[in-house]
Amino acid sequence: MYTLTKIERFHQNVLSKYHVYNSVFLTLPFDAIDNTGVLLPLFSEVCEKGFQRQETPIEIVNFFNQKYLDNADEHHKIGLLFRFIQYIERQIVLFDAIEDAAFPIVNNLEGKGSLRDSKETADGQGKAEAFRDFLNEFKVRTVLTAHPTQFYPGSVLGIITDLTAAIRQDDLVKIKELLSQLGKTPFIKKQKPTPFDEAVSLTWYLENVFYQTCGAMLSYIQKNVFAGAELKNPIFNLGFWPGGDRDGNPFVTTEITLQVAERLRSSILKNYYKDIRNLKRKLTFNKVDVLIADLEQKIYRSVFYSEGAIFITVAAFEKQLHQIREIIIEEHQSLYLDEINDLINKVKLFGFHFASLDLRQNSKIHDAVFADLFKVDENFQSKSITEKMKLFQQNYPKLIADNFGSLTRATIESLYAMKTIQNKNGEPACNRYIISNCESAWHVMQVLALAQSCDWEHPTLDIVPLFEVIDDLQNAPEIMEQLYNNPIYKKHLQSRGNQQTVMLGFSDGTKDGGYLMANWSIYKAKENITSVSRKYGIKVIFFDGRGGPPARGGGKTHQFYASLGRSIENCEIQVTVQGQTISSNFGTPDSCRYNLENLLSAGVSNQLFDQTQATLTESQKSILDELAQIGYQRYSNFKKHPKFIPYLEQISTLNYYAKTNIGSRPSKRSNSDTLDFSELRAIPFVGSWSQLKQNVPGFFGVGSALKHFEQSGRWTQVQHLYRDSLFFRTLLENSMMSLAKSFFPLTAYLKDDPGFGAFWQIIYNEYLETKRLLLKIAGHSELMENYPDGKASIAMRENIVKPLLAIQQYALLRISQLQKQENADTQLIETYQKLVTRSLFGNINASRNSA
């Protein structure tokens, strides 16, 4: 029997179903839905033809108004545009749900990259024992972060989940009912969420997806790889940033941090309680029934009646489960043993904390704290690290938060909060302190000094430096060597098992140095930090701060990890997951399992299987150095262009991200009215280019770098590098994704603009060169032709939002026109600003990894 190809399965189970179910929208309870549903396809056609003729969005909208609306006045025209947005938002939700429902059909969950594939490959190569050894050591840590790129409120997320289930069953009555509910459910949050709101929202994924998925994966490994023997290593663990990420977020307080930790604990206990209730119905045997009833009562009281008290410890809980397991094996023919093993594995994995709450703060805040503590001593900064530590310990053997001003008090309180959380939920609940903008060894020692003086002589925490911008990435190995040589820090590392976590930031690295330089600088930093760490007998773990799109370290993430050679320590994969990437990659049990297994298999292939394409030779590194330098120079010159900042402020949606109420954090770290590029967060920066459909951070400089080799007669060198290096090939394939999501006809009207025409042309020329040379090096005629299903998904999503893009650009142009008038209509300007803000949402979610 003929097996359908992946693209055929996509067409059959996604595109065809979308066209069928989309017709149901005609019956939705919108205002004037019939009119909107009929007019939107006509508007889409007008937009398509207008883009082809390089018309301005104003010309496109005015033509549509004249031809189909009988020259409606501005009020009625704006009203229809708002209804178009409302309609398109729900089309995107429908497409999301259909893709989620078809995920296990389109993607082979047992194919390449799966746990089963890794096991069978290891067995086939005679490496079964090595595979077990690998699983006893290796870990995958996904860290959910609260970054403002996901706007769906909880009510809409619930509808999407139910809609996905109904689509899987082809239940047309239920689908119509849910689409009707969707039509009446608001998409917009009236107020910005608090960090606690964000935590509650992300906890939904922990409770409904990760809990069952991770447990099932561990059970599969226990049963099929270890022949039922107990797992020593839980393999997966989860990290959590909402409520702990203080960097630039004034709304994260000590109280919020404690509340989030409490919420995580109550959430995991509720999940355990559900499992125990199910087990109680099965374990009705002699001796066992009493033990399971006792557990049920203690967990119930801990969740519902404790007011913070715990009636059973993690250790006691696990011990009693093992006792039940032994009785079942010895006296009851191992009946329901799989279910008991499943719960034991979950307890090992999630403890009473569910996910580890990381704290993060900017080094500039710590500098300000020490300036406050030592404002009298003008010579403090000139002293050595050891001298500073001794002086600090002499002056502040114990820090009392209430003795200081707000900034210092908040910093001290955050460390006391970590201790409190550990005491209540266990050490894994909160044991990492991340220092963003880390520029020196002293920045790391500051945190150790503060912690030791917070009544914590031997802090049970890992201090994690975060290196982001290019200079810091290049200096990182030297900074780590200084730390390893420091006797105070060396002693601390010994207490932490001589293990050091280092975080590397793709987002700000790309923003600072461009796509090629950022990725290559991170690769080299990992290689050099690995070398230094091995020299001092330190096990280094790399934690990658990645966003959704390739410009922020996203794209084919598992291929990136599979491409790392043995010169880079790879005992764990730790990665941030944020925004729409959480819902798109981990939003359902199937997609969660698929992506977690792919990350795990990347580690397997890197350590156990063929390494020929994962180890760069010195000549290959030399070529990459040259490519990165050329790309860096091109991007740096681009950033210095006098129109760079004005273009972002006046042409893009940068200034509208703060108005969307989709995240608790401000869009920039400073409070100044002027735009300081260094203080601008990577999310609105990358997102603004994405809204323009120009995706500059994901490709700018790549074409120039490749062109240099082409023009100098050295094209075969980069061609061979692409063929032989998985790292370089993955880098360029991810850049292709950025190009595939670009659409320059949207802004082609700018080429004749007296202010920004020349600047737009610079971007467009780099896009054309990058596209030409990426197709040449890959031997393709179209972008992403080796990923036809991904290409088809992107094409469909881009087609859905094209009218949205036209509306957004139209509104931005009308705002500019109105602001230039002498007696500007402020009310009309505000209306158009709302139109821009509303159009952001659909574009963000349609891309699924736009920022």
Side-chain angles (χ1 to χ4, degrees), residues 710 715 719 770-780:
E710 182 187 51
W715 181 255
Q719 186 72 67
T770 305
K771 181 179 179 181
R772 178 181 72 83
L773 291 166
L774 287 182
L775 291 176
K776 179 180 179 179
I777 202 169
H780 294 168

Side-chain angles (χ1 to χ4, degrees), residues 318-332:
E318 197 172 348
K319 182 179 179 181
Q320 197 152 324
L321 287 174
H322 274 96
Q323 191 178 352
I324 292 169
R325 184 179 186 273
E326 288 173 13
I327 295 171
I328 284 176
I329 293 171
E330 293 173 5
E331 301 182 23
H332 301 293

Side-chain angles (χ1 to χ4, degrees), residues 660-675:
T660 54
N661 290 337
I662 57 176
S664 69
R665 293 202 311 175
S667 59
K668 55 184 180 179
R669 290 179 171 90
S670 67
N671 295 319
S672 65
D673 293 330
T674 57
L675 177 59

Side-chain angles (χ1 to χ4, degrees), residues 396-547:
Y396 300 103
K398 184 172 181 179
L399 288 166
I400 308 298
D402 291 340
N403 293 345
F404 302 98
S406 58
L407 184 67
T408 302
R409 183 175 67 249
T411 304
I412 295 168
E413 284 177 346
S414 68
L415 287 159
Y416 278 109
M418 291 185 78
K419 283 186 63 182
T420 300
I421 293 167
Q422 286 191 15
N423 289 336
K424 294 184 75 173
N425 297 2
E427 185 191 318
C430 189
N431 63 357
R432 300 207 307 187
Y433 195 112
I434 299 162
I435 308 160
S436 54
N437 196 38
C438 186
E439 298 175 334
S440 68
W442 174 235
H443 280 151
V444 175
M445 298 300 289
Q446 285 174 331
V447 176
L448 181 58
L450 289 168
Q452 288 176 336
S453 294
C454 288
D455 203 18
W456 211 356
E457 186 180 352
H458 302 293
T460 48
L461 84 158
D462 298 317
I463 303 170
V464 183
L466 167 52
F467 303 108
E468 300 171 275
V469 299
I470 303 304
D471 286 346
D472 294 344
L473 287 166
Q474 291 173 349
N475 295 331
E478 182 184 345
I479 291 171
M480 297 313 300
E481 186 157 27
Q482 289 177 27
L483 288 167
Y484 296 155
N485 274 316
N486 184 279
I488 299 172
Y489 194 73
K490 188 176 181 180
K491 186 177 179 182
H492 172 68
L493 275 183
Q494 287 172 345
S495 73
R496 303 301 294 164
N498 281 329
Q499 185 170 289
Q500 173 68 55
T501 302
V502 176
M503 187 173 180
L504 303 162
F506 284 76
S507 303
D508 282 288
T510 305
K511 173 175 159 271
D512 178 52
Y515 182 71
L516 283 176
M517 178 57 86
N519 280 274
W520 181 231
S521 294
I522 287 171
Y523 186 98
K524 289 197 298 182
K526 285 188 172 185
E527 202 169 49
N528 292 329
I529 293 170
T530 297
S531 177
V532 169
S533 300
R534 287 173 178 173
K535 174 183 171 183
Y536 289 92
I538 304 298
K539 179 183 176 183
V540 69
I541 296 168
F542 293 111
F543 175 25
D544 291 333
R546 295 175 175 272

Side-chain angles (χ1 to χ4, degrees), residues 577-729:
V577 189
Q578 59 198 40
Q580 326 97 297
T581 315
I582 296 174
S583 55
S584 61
N585 288 4
F586 301 93
T588 67
D590 288 328
S591 62
C592 183
R593 174 196 155 191
Y594 179 83
N595 285 290
L596 284 177
E597 288 192 8
N598 267 270
L599 287 174
L600 186 60
S601 74
V604 176
S605 62
N606 196 296
Q607 291 195 27
L608 292 188
F609 303 144
D610 185 20
Q611 290 286 308
T612 53
Q613 290 205 339
T615 302
L616 293 170
T617 65
E618 290 305 313
S619 61
Q620 288 175 329
K621 290 178 183 178
S622 178
I623 295 169
L624 278 161
D625 264 326
E626 195 172 349
L627 286 165
Q629 286 296 336
I630 296 165
Y632 180 55
Q633 193 59 54
R634 175 69 168 149
Y635 179 75
S636 297
N637 291 338
F638 177 65
K639 278 201 310 179
K640 292 174 186 173
H641 196 288
K643 294 293 183 182
F644 183 80
I645 296 297
Y647 188 82
L648 282 172
E649 289 188 305
Q650 297 174 39
I651 303 298
S652 81
T653 56
L654 180 67
N655 296 323
Y656 292 85
Y657 268 79
K659 301 175 182 179
T660 54
N661 290 337
I662 57 176
S664 69
R665 293 202 311 175
S667 59
K668 55 184 180 179
R669 290 179 171 90
S670 67
N671 295 319
S672 65
D673 293 330
T674 57
L675 177 59
D676 181 348
F677 184 73
S678 64
E679 297 292 335
L680 178 64
R681 292 192 180 281
I683 286 171
F685 174 70
V686 174
S688 297
W689 289 112
S690 176
Q691 293 282 322
L692 279 170
K693 291 299 168 185
Q694 292 177 1
N695 288 326
V696 159
F699 73 81
F700 202 91
V702 175
S704 295
L706 292 174
K707 188 176 181 180
H708 170 79
F709 278 78
E710 182 187 51
Q711 290 183 332
S712 60
R714 299 163 61 199
W715 181 255
T716 54
Q717 291 182 356
V718 291
Q719 186 72 67
H720 289 160
L721 182 63
Y722 180 84
R723 181 195 66 197
D724 299 335
S725 168
L726 181 58
F727 171 77
F728 186 57
R729 192 160 62 249

Side-chain angles (χ1 to χ4, degrees), residues 187-408:
F187 271 44
I188 307 305
K189 297 174 180 176
K190 295 178 181 178
Q191 295 179 323
K192 286 179 77 67
T194 67
F196 185 73
D197 294 334
E198 290 172 331
V200 170
S201 178
L202 290 190
T203 302
W204 185 93
Y205 293 99
L206 297 180
E207 294 173 344
N208 294 281
V209 181
F210 282 95
Y211 180 76
Q212 295 295 349
T213 303
C214 291
M217 289 170 70
L218 288 176
S219 294
Y220 174 87
I221 291 169
Q222 181 179 23
K223 197 170 185 179
N224 295 281
V225 180
F226 289 92
E230 190 169 348
L231 296 180
K232 300 175 184 176
N233 173 32
I235 302 173
F236 304 101
N237 58 55
L238 305 177
F240 205 73
W241 274 18
D245 184 6
R246 294 164 177 262
D247 182 15
N249 193 340
F251 307 112
V252 177
T253 63
T254 302
E255 183 183 6
I256 289 287
T257 302
L258 293 170
Q259 285 178 352
V260 170
E262 190 71 29
R263 178 61 181 245
L264 288 168
R265 184 181 67 175
S266 65
S267 295
I268 189 59
L269 289 174
K270 285 175 184 175
N271 276 40
Y272 290 154
Y273 179 70
K274 291 176 187 174
D275 278 358
I276 289 169
R277 289 278 295 172
N278 289 332
L279 274 173
K280 189 183 177 186
R281 296 185 63 177
K282 298 177 179 180
L283 304 182
T284 53
F285 329 131
N286 185 33
K287 296 183 183 178
V288 173
D289 55 347
V290 178
L291 291 172
I292 201 74
D294 179 62
L295 282 181
E296 179 196 25
Q297 182 190 40
K298 287 175 179 175
I299 294 293
Y300 181 83
R301 292 174 69 193
S302 298
V303 174
F304 299 106
Y305 287 103
S306 66
E307 294 184 1
I310 288 290
F311 291 87
I312 187 170
T313 64
V314 176
F317 185 25
E318 197 172 348
K319 182 179 179 181
Q320 197 152 324
L321 287 174
H322 274 96
Q323 191 178 352
I324 292 169
R325 184 179 186 273
E326 288 173 13
I327 295 171
I328 284 176
I329 293 171
E330 293 173 5
E331 301 182 23
H332 301 293
Q333 294 76 48
S334 297
L335 196 56
Y336 300 122
L337 180 61
D338 287 347
E339 285 89 337
I340 285 290
N341 283 336
D342 180 62
L343 184 52
I344 290 172
N345 288 334
K346 286 173 180 172
V347 175
K348 279 187 178 179
L349 172 56
F350 301 117
F352 278 2
H353 62 280
F354 216 157
S356 299
L357 184 60
D358 289 345
L359 261 65
R360 184 173 77 138
Q361 185 55 281
N362 197 295
S363 65
K364 292 180 180 178
I365 299 298
H366 301 141
D367 284 339
V369 168
F370 274 77
D372 180 35
L373 295 174
F374 289 95
K375 49 194 162 193
V376 184
D377 190 346
E378 297 177 357
N379 299 317
F380 183 78
Q381 289 301 332
S382 63
K383 297 181 186 298
S384 70
I385 289 177
T386 303
E387 288 173 333
K388 287 177 181 177
M389 291 291 286
K390 287 180 180 177
L391 189 62
F392 183 84
Q393 289 165 352
Q394 289 168 8
N395 285 281
Y396 300 103
K398 184 172 181 179
L399 288 166
I400 308 298
D402 291 340
N403 293 345
F404 302 98
S406 58
L407 184 67
T408 302

Side-chain angles (χ1 to χ4, degrees), residues 91-201:
Q91 285 182 314
I92 293 162
V93 168
L94 175 62
F95 193 78
D96 282 349
I98 291 171
E99 272 206 317
D100 286 345
F103 191 92
I105 302 172
V106 174
N107 299 279
N108 183 1
L109 298 187
E110 307 299 338
K112 187 174 175 57
S114 68
L115 260 172
R116 173 176 288 183
D117 176 64
S118 295
K119 179 188 180 301
E120 291 176 352
T121 303
D123 289 345
Q125 295 184 11
K127 295 180 177 178
E129 187 175 348
F131 184 50
R132 286 191 290 273
D133 291 341
F134 168 84
L135 291 174
N136 275 326
E137 298 291 335
F138 195 79
K139 288 184 174 64
V140 172
R141 183 187 185 110
T142 49
V143 181
L144 306 187
T145 70
H147 289 316
T149 56
Q150 169 65 273
F151 86 95
Y152 290 144
S155 55
V156 174
L157 287 172
I159 295 171
I160 293 173
T161 301
D162 294 341
L163 186 58
T164 300
I167 289 168
R168 276 191 177 156
Q169 297 167 9
D170 282 323
D171 187 343
L172 190 58
V173 174
K174 187 67 175 176
I175 291 168
K176 187 172 181 180
E177 183 178 79
L178 287 165
L179 290 176
S180 298
Q181 180 187 354
L182 193 66
K184 289 184 171 291
T185 302
F187 271 44
I188 307 305
K189 297 174 180 176
K190 295 178 181 178
Q191 295 179 323
K192 286 179 77 67
T194 67
F196 185 73
D197 294 334
E198 290 172 331
V200 170
S201 178

